[in-house]
Amino acid sequence: MELLKQKILDEGTVLSGNVLKVDSFLNHQLDPMLTMQMGAEFANRFENCRVDKILTIESSGIAIALATALKFNVPLVFARKKKSVLMNEETYSTEVFSYTKQETSNITVLKKFLPAGEKILIIDDFLASGEAAVGLANLVRLAGCEVVGIGIVIEKSFQSGADKLKQAGYRLESLVRIGSLDDCKVTFL
Ligand code: 5GP
């Protein structure tokens, strides 16, 4: 997606530890027009699939997932990273290690929002080691639903997540693929 590549080159900065900071349009401030275009692009790529629901993880996945859900005209569910007292019903949970926060959290969804048999499209902002995506896929499996695909905004292809997901048999669609962040420079594949 050329528009997204240009935005990353114009506004992204590379931090130590192979982290790309894109807080001006994806992770803190949001660009509504670009967000809607990214949702439309995911909808195009998965247009031949039956999608009953979009699943993401709070918080940065929510906006793009909403844009995608709007195109499919289906609900969006986001997994929560912290259990609140309001989640006083039956849940599915799985452990996920956060690449940027360097901590493990239990991600949770209420069972009633993932009824068995649904076809689920997973959407997230970044793919690094694949922990978040695998965690979301685990929730789908626990619910007796099916992952129709995984849509990622920025895939860091030099990290292990993309291979892990493909080896597990998931269809992966990334809007941009980064081959390296060496020397603080973004190189696309
Ligand atoms: P993974 O679980 O694949 O290791 O990492 C994906 C999650 O970590 C994403 O949901 C995202 O929040 C965060 N993340 C991983 N790498 C980056 C990065 O380079 N930049 C930003 N902003 N977030 C990242």
Side-chain angles (χ1 to χ4, degrees):
M1 199 180 169
E2 290 308 316
L3 191 65
L4 177 59
K5 281 186 184 169
Q6 198 52 53
K7 193 87 170 165
I8 292 169
L9 292 176
D10 292 344
E11 298 181 24
T13 50
V14 181
L15 306 182
S16 63
N18 279 323
V19 171
L20 177 65
K21 188 175 174 194
V22 281
D23 59 357
S24 65
F25 65 92
L26 188 63
N27 292 135
H28 194 10
Q29 173 173 266
L30 297 176
D31 179 330
M33 192 68 83
L34 179 63
T35 303
M36 296 313 291
Q37 286 168 327
M38 293 192 289
E41 179 67 22
F42 282 130
N44 277 341
R45 295 193 189 199
F46 290 101
E47 72 175 345
N48 296 322
C49 303
R50 182 183 129 197
V51 174
D52 297 317
K53 204 162 275 180
I54 309 292
L55 178 66
T56 190
I57 181 167
E58 64 177 352
S59 57
S60 293
I62 295 175
I64 335 134
L66 177 66
T68 312
L70 194 63
K71 281 282 172 190
F72 278 106
N73 194 23
V74 297
L76 150 70
V77 177
F78 60 92
R80 290 189 177 271
K81 288 179 181 158
K82 288 213 165 74
K83 218 171 165 181
S84 95
V85 288
L86 296 172
M87 292 186 98
N88 61 346
E89 296 171 56
E90 281 195 90
T91 57
Y92 298 112
S93 291
T94 190
E95 276 196 350
V96 164
F97 178 76
S98 165
Y99 184 79
T100 44
K101 298 198 177 74
Q102 293 286 308
E103 64 183 28
T104 300
S105 59
N106 238 326
I107 66 165
T108 306
V109 290
L110 288 184
K111 284 188 178 180
K112 68 179 177 187
F113 294 132
L114 283 183
E118 287 199 327
K119 308 264 188 197
I120 308 294
L121 174 59
I122 292 172
I123 297 286
D124 203 8
D125 59 341
F126 271 88
L127 178 62
S129 62
E131 280 277 320
V134 168
L136 290 170
N138 282 343
L139 293 178
V140 174
R141 191 176 39 80
L142 286 171
C145 296
E146 187 189 323
V147 176
V148 296
I150 299 175
I152 297 290
V153 175
I154 301 174
E155 172 189 312
K156 294 191 291 180
S157 312
F158 57 91
Q159 292 182 285
S160 59
D163 284 344
K164 205 184 282 178
L165 296 180
K166 285 182 207 156
Q167 272 164 23
Y170 295 115
R171 177 176 166 196
L172 174 65
E173 291 286 345
S174 303
L175 300 187
V176 299
R177 298 170 68 223
I178 291 178
S180 145
L181 292 175
D182 290 350
D183 303 322
C184 294
K185 191 170 151 278
V186 180
T187 308
F188 296 106
L189 284 185

